[in-house]
Amino acid sequence: MSGRTAPPERDPGLQPERTRLAWRRTTLSGTVAAVLGVKTTLHGGPTAAGIVACALCCGLWLAFLLLAHRRIRALTLAQAPAPLTARHAVLAALCPVATAVCAAALVV
């Protein structure tokens, strides 16, 4: 024996819960960005460009919301959920970034 002890086994129940909470936090921050985008568009009279950016922001938020809900359900229902597909991973990364860009465009 070399005197080393095996590391304790990790509780597999904690990782899915942390991941679910991360999805929920990201969804909440996207919701805030979308609501602020709508508020900014309506404040001071809507313009055509503002309405298009707002609609795009809301559409991106909705797409991310659907993806996040699907992933949260998969984490809740399955013992070992399937990994996120490449398409869904790209969508999950691009939707919040694009939402933030649209919201920033509305502010500027």
Side-chain angles (χ1 to χ4, degrees):
M1 273 196 132
S2 65
R4 292 185 181 172
T5 60
E9 284 196 34
R10 193 183 95 211
D11 182 4
L14 295 177
Q15 182 61 42
E17 183 176 350
R18 286 192 302 265
T19 305
R20 276 194 311 272
L21 290 172
W23 279 103
R24 290 182 194 272
R25 281 191 308 268
T26 306
T27 303
L28 180 62
S29 64
T31 302
V32 169
V35 167
L36 289 176
V38 170
K39 182 182 178 210
T40 301
T41 300
L42 297 177
H43 182 70
T47 63
I51 291 173
V52 169
C54 182
L56 184 60
C57 186
C58 290
L60 289 165
W61 168 77
L62 185 60
F64 185 79
L65 181 67
L66 294 173
L67 175 69
H69 180 69
R70 179 179 176 190
R71 191 63 185 164
I72 289 169
R73 278 186 51 157
L75 290 168
T76 302
L77 299 176
Q79 292 294 334
L84 205 57
T85 64
R87 185 179 116 205
H88 289 123
V90 168
L91 184 64
L94 289 180
C95 277
V97 171
T99 303
V101 168
C102 288
L106 287 170
V107 172
V108 173

